[in-house]
């Protein structure tokens, strides 16, 4: 339909992003229900904001429910998309980063654990931490159901409750705010990979040894993965 570039499917819920206010989004929702029988609910996702990076959701069509179950990397997740950051389009990147991890691992901004559980599946010891209690509850639930057991810690990453160089590998997925967490992340890590939102793969205070462009955020802003020994 004119003005709609695509949608994200999470389990049986379709999410469309706001591009222009001139579209009849409810008609788009009804059309999606007709063309894809897997879809049971359609929501419009408005601007992502706040520390938890959760998008505001507006119900458009089908069931008015935000809990759904989906599978990624052979792991089943039941999540509430209104309470935690979700981006299923990053599945390939999660697979790649989980293969880079080795030794004792910290997933510093774990959310509901899409990366932590992949790393745990590789039989590595992983600590999953986040500020979002609801996200960590989902992670605990999904850990049990998949029989994968990361250590789950509720914390504010500005003050990490770990000793110097506790982790062989730390992954820090908070692209829009990564700068403010760097001192703590470097303190507890031997090797650190961060995601960073910027024009170029340069992050002050971080000695980049390798980088990769992950995706295009807007016309001249990109998400990069930057890694370094600490
Ligand atoms: C971009 S999301 C990434 C979540 C997860 N890695 C994923 O792929 O779904 C950023 C995460 O950082 C968490 N966060 C934001 N501020 C934080 C803080 N001060 N301490 C710990 N976690 C924080 C949010 O709750 C959110 O889960």
């Amino acid at each position: 339909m004119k003005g709609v570039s695509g949608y994200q499917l999470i389990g049986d819920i379709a999410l469309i992003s706001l591009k222009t206010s001139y579209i009849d989004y409810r008609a788009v929702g009804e059309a999606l229900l007709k063309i894809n029988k897997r879809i049971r609910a359609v929501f419009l996702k408005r601007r992502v904001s706040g520390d938890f990076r959760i998008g505001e959701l507006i119900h458009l069509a089908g069931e008015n429910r935000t809990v759904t179950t989906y599978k990624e990397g052979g792991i089943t997740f039941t999540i509430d998309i209104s309470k935690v950051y979700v981006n299923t389009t990053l599945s390939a990147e999660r697979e790649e980063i989980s293969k880079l991890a080795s030794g004792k691992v910290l997933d510093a901004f774990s959310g509901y654990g899409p990366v932590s559980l992949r790393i745990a599946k590789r039989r590595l010891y992983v600590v999953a931490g986040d500020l979002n209690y609801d996200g960590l509850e989902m992670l605990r639930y999904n850990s049990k159901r998949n029989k994968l057991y990361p250590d789950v810690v509720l914390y504010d990453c500005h003050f990490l409750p770990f000793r110097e160089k506790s982790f062989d590998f730390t992954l820090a997925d908070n692209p829009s705010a990564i700068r403010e967490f760097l001192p703590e992340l470097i303190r507890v890590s031997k090797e650190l990979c961060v995601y960073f939102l910027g024009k170029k793969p340069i992050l002050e205070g971080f000695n980049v040894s390798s980088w990769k462009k992950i995706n295009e955020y807007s016309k001249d802003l990109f998400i990069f993965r930057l890694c370094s020994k600490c």
Side-chain angles (χ1 to χ4, degrees), residues 111-188:
Y112 65 94
V115 184
S116 305
L117 293 191
R118 276 187 196 243
I119 294 172
K121 203 170 176 213
R122 291 188 48 225
R123 301 289 162 223
L124 292 177
Y125 173 71
V126 54
V127 174
D130 204 283
L131 188 63
N132 181 347
Y133 179 82
D134 292 318
L136 294 182
E137 279 295 288
M138 292 174 219
L139 171 50
R140 283 198 191 95
Y141 176 85
N142 291 310
S143 297
K144 272 191 207 140
R145 105 184 283 168
N146 290 283
K147 298 191 172 58
L148 297 167
Y149 297 101
D151 273 346
V152 179
V153 187
L154 176 71
Y155 60 53
D156 177 349
C157 190
H158 291 103
F159 314 99
L160 287 172
F162 309 113
R163 294 209 175 103
E164 277 65 16
K165 306 298 169 202
S166 298
F167 296 95
D168 298 303
F169 184 92
T170 296
L171 151 76
D173 175 16
N174 196 347
S176 54
I178 195 65
R179 279 191 182 87
E180 62 196 76
F181 300 106
L182 273 184
E184 270 300 82
L185 290 166
I186 291 171
R187 182 182 67 76
V188 303

